Amino acid sequence: MSNSLSAIAQTKWQQSYQLLLIISLLLIAVVTPFAATSYGAASISANDVLQVFSHKILGLGENQGVTERIIWELRLPRVILAFIAGAGLSIAGSVLQTVTRNPLADPYLFGISSGASFGAVVVLTLFSQSILWLSLPLGAFIGASLSVLMVLGLCGRNLSTQVERMLLSGVAISFMFGAMASLLLYFSSPQAAASVLFWSLGSFAKASWTGLILPAIIVSICTLVILLFKRQIIAMRAGDETAHTLGINVGRLRLSMLLLCSLITAILVANCGGIGFIGLMVPHTVRLLFPGRYPLLLTAAIGGLFMVWVDVLARTLLSYQELPVGIITAVMGSIFFLFILGSRSAKRT
């Protein structure tokens, strides 16, 4: 009797704790667009931000001139692109970790990001600038898909029993594509090499309202498809044999999800450059906060908010200078990666 009462009390406490977390996230989500657009090289007060939003959305007040242009045309598209990138990479990381049963899977470590970066660098250095809006995402997707197929080819069929081999294959392929991209940059012009280098490290500096259309559509459609197959994806957490007994075509589902994750990563790399470890950190954090659940939309929301504030940090950490976002996420992600490796080793011993 006492055990059942303690279990009920623990369940109620856990539900209250998770409800408090969700309320806190909603408050952060409401505050983030106003706070994030106030930070930058030009100092803008929270009151000015509220006036601009009131004028543009509700039609109240007057045009704020230069301040309105900075907030509405430069910073707000950047905030939205950062949110889309964080949400998309978090979804991709969560799905990769589930369908491969590899807790260390991530678009960056899995080689997808490097493959997409290589495809984009090929387009940037060898093709005409006039068709970049179409050829850049296409080149990134081809590179990402090639990376996935190479990892699958190196690992063979029994992916669920080859966690370490899959990770090592992804790292090796990542280095290979990185070397090939560096070779292309070495033979390109200094101007092209400088611009590609900053882009490859990750940045939202070129965000615009028109540039948001394609990433928003692709990430939304891919997320919707993933949500439609959520039950099948969750079933794969129990293993391939269990999923087979439930009537799931494991091989087809795994390949489909990997290609969807490649498409998400490719479109984001084409627009934001290489941003690593978001797909590793956010899903693990969500699982720690919400144990026993698989909240994909919540994972996307937390990843998006996290990416927005990382971009704010990149804009404000140094005076009159902007750090590439990929540098910050790489520092944070490497520490997180070592923490996961340490915890896995402790569990085995």
Side-chain angles (χ1 to χ4, degrees):
M1 184 67 177
S2 60
N3 291 334
S4 61
L5 289 175
S6 62
I8 293 173
Q10 185 177 1
T11 302
K12 288 185 177 179
W13 179 86
Q14 189 175 12
Q15 290 175 348
S16 302
Y17 159 76
Q18 292 181 353
L19 180 61
L20 181 62
L21 279 177
I22 292 174
I23 293 173
S24 302
L25 285 171
L26 287 174
L27 291 174
I28 294 172
V30 171
V31 172
T32 292
F34 300 96
T37 50
S38 66
Y39 289 100
S43 179
I44 297 176
S45 66
N47 184 48
D48 290 337
V49 174
L50 286 173
Q51 289 182 4
V52 170
F53 275 77
S54 298
H55 178 254
K56 297 297 291 187
I57 298 175
L58 302 176
L60 303 176
E62 299 178 352
N63 191 310
Q64 301 297 309
V66 176
T67 301
E68 184 165 312
R69 289 185 60 190
I70 292 173
I71 293 174
W72 197 259
E73 297 180 15
L74 298 178
R75 293 187 183 176
L76 188 58
R78 182 171 182 150
V79 168
I80 296 173
L81 182 59
F83 184 88
I84 293 172
L89 292 173
S90 299
I91 287 281
S94 181
V95 172
L96 283 174
Q97 290 166 18
T98 302
V99 299
T100 62
R101 298 188 67 202
N102 183 349
L104 300 177
D106 166 79
Y108 188 77
L109 295 174
F110 207 63
I112 298 177
S113 182
S114 296
S117 296
F118 170 71
V121 168
V122 169
V123 172
L124 286 169
T125 54
L126 301 180
F127 288 83
S128 171
Q129 299 288 315
S130 60
I131 57 171
L132 280 184
W133 67 274
L134 176 62
S135 57
L136 193 60
L138 181 60
F141 177 65
I142 292 173
S145 301
L146 181 61
S147 175
V148 167
L149 294 176
M150 291 176 70
V151 170
L152 293 177
L154 289 171
C155 292
R157 294 183 178 181
N158 299 322
L159 295 180
S160 59
T161 60
Q162 302 189 40
V163 174
E164 286 79 9
R165 184 173 179 178
M166 187 183 304
L167 180 63
L168 291 174
S169 299
V171 172
I173 289 171
S174 178
F175 277 114
M176 183 189 71
F177 278 121
M180 293 168 68
S182 299
L183 182 65
L184 283 174
L185 291 178
Y186 180 79
F187 288 106
S188 63
S189 65
Q191 294 83 5
S195 62
V196 170
L197 178 62
F198 184 78
W199 167 83
S200 64
L201 293 175
S203 174
F204 304 110
K206 294 184 178 181
S208 63
W209 287 112
T210 55
L212 290 175
I213 297 174
L214 192 58
I217 292 174
I218 296 297
V219 173
S220 299
I221 292 175
C222 291
T223 302
L224 180 60
V225 173
I226 289 170
L227 289 174
L228 291 175
F229 288 92
K230 182 179 177 181
R231 290 185 178 180
Q232 292 90 325
I233 294 171
I234 294 175
M236 292 184 67
R237 298 172 70 181
D240 289 3
E241 293 183 1
T242 304
H244 274 301
T245 59
L246 295 174
I248 299 172
N249 189 326
V250 174
R252 183 184 299 173
L253 179 64
R254 179 178 284 124
L255 182 60
S256 301
M257 292 300 110
L258 288 173
L259 289 177
L260 278 178
C261 292
S262 300
L263 182 56
I264 292 174
T265 306
I267 194 66
L268 294 176
V269 167
N271 285 272
C272 316
I275 301 173
F277 294 104
I278 297 297
L280 176 69
M281 292 187 288
V282 174
H284 278 283
T285 303
V286 172
R287 281 194 286 270
L288 288 173
L289 296 175
F290 300 90
R293 298 190 177 186
Y294 194 69
L296 279 174
L297 288 179
L298 198 58
T299 301
I302 292 175
L305 292 172
F306 176 72
M307 193 74 259
V308 170
W309 286 105
V310 169
D311 182 50
V312 170
L313 184 63
R315 283 184 278 145
T316 58
L317 198 60
L318 299 178
S319 300
Y320 306 106
Q321 194 173 358
E322 179 181 326
L323 276 176
V325 177
I327 293 178
I328 299 176
T329 59
V331 172
M332 299 171 66
S334 58
I335 297 172
F336 194 88
F337 183 76
L338 293 174
F339 170 76
I340 294 176
L341 283 179
S343 62
R344 282 170 57 86
S345 300
K347 287 180 181 179
R348 289 179 179 178
T349 56

